[in-house]
Amino acid sequence: MPARRPCWAPGAGAPPPGAPPAAPRTQVTGRALLVVAALIAAGTAGFELARLGGSADATLISDAWRACGLVVFAGLFALVAWRPTSYPGVLELSILHKAAVTMIAVNNTQAADAWGVAVVDGLIALALIAGYLLLGCYRAWKPTREPAGESRRGSSSAPHTGPSRGTAPGEGAGDGHGGGHGDGAKRAQTPKR
């Protein structure tokens, strides 16, 4: 008798109640592309850092700049892969940078390492563009909606204990020294747990 598949196995129907929903394939693919871009950037950064010892004095700073920049890009790509709509502008600027560097390298093939830079930055740019579209990172620019009845000020889980923003110490609302609401209204605080 063949072994039975669990009811949430692929092709077997819906997952059981309480199981986390499966991520859509576009989400998985987009995140994978950003992780690949992060790994390419990190690997290239490691390669560039290892080559710094042999850099000529004339190019040492620019070589170090590229290596350190690739480390930063690797971290940014990993952050966006983790939370795609939490960092507005990061992928847009990264795509612009990688596409520009690729075009400069392609138009200056006589420069040292031009083809290597064009290939690496070009692949990263393509992965970023695909990930950007698949993950809908353009939605990071849209303001998030707050649940009904909550305001930005009252949405914090910790009670507000200091003066309100923009006031000097001793002038905050509700501190007993004036500067409050004037009508005796008390500030809403989160209940203690």
Side-chain angles (χ1 to χ4, degrees):
M1 178 184 272
R4 292 188 57 181
R5 291 188 300 189
C7 65
W8 61 88
R25 286 187 180 159
T26 57
Q27 292 285 314
V28 173
T29 304
R31 288 175 191 254
L33 285 169
L34 290 179
V35 168
V36 166
L39 292 173
I40 290 172
T44 306
F47 177 74
E48 294 288 335
L49 286 169
R51 287 185 358 163
L52 280 181
S55 289
D57 290 341
T59 62
L60 178 65
I61 299 300
S62 62
D63 292 345
W65 173 268
R66 175 165 170 73
C68 293
L70 285 165
V71 171
V72 171
F73 276 115
L76 290 174
F77 302 157
L79 285 172
V80 175
W82 175 46
R83 298 182 67 184
T85 57
S86 295
Y87 304 100
V90 169
L91 273 189
E92 291 89 342
L93 289 171
S94 299
I95 290 168
L96 179 67
H97 178 272
K98 293 301 171 189
V101 169
T102 300
M103 296 308 296
I104 290 168
V106 167
N107 289 321
N108 295 290
T109 55
Q110 74 283 0
D113 296 332
W115 284 112
V117 169
V119 169
V120 169
D121 285 339
L123 287 173
I124 290 174
L126 290 175
L128 294 178
I129 291 168
Y132 180 83
L133 295 173
L134 289 170
L135 292 170
C137 294
Y138 47 85
R139 291 178 295 159
W141 291 98
K142 293 183 180 177
T144 57
R145 292 183 183 229
E146 295 175 3
E150 284 192 28
S151 68
R152 287 195 185 275
R153 188 172 206 177
S155 64
S156 172
S157 61
H160 181 76
T161 57
S164 50
R165 245 189 282 173
T167 60
E171 295 178 3
D175 62 2
H177 298 291
H181 296 287
D183 61 350
K186 294 191 179 198
R187 183 176 43 223
Q189 292 190 2
T190 306
K192 293 183 181 179
R193 295 181 186 176

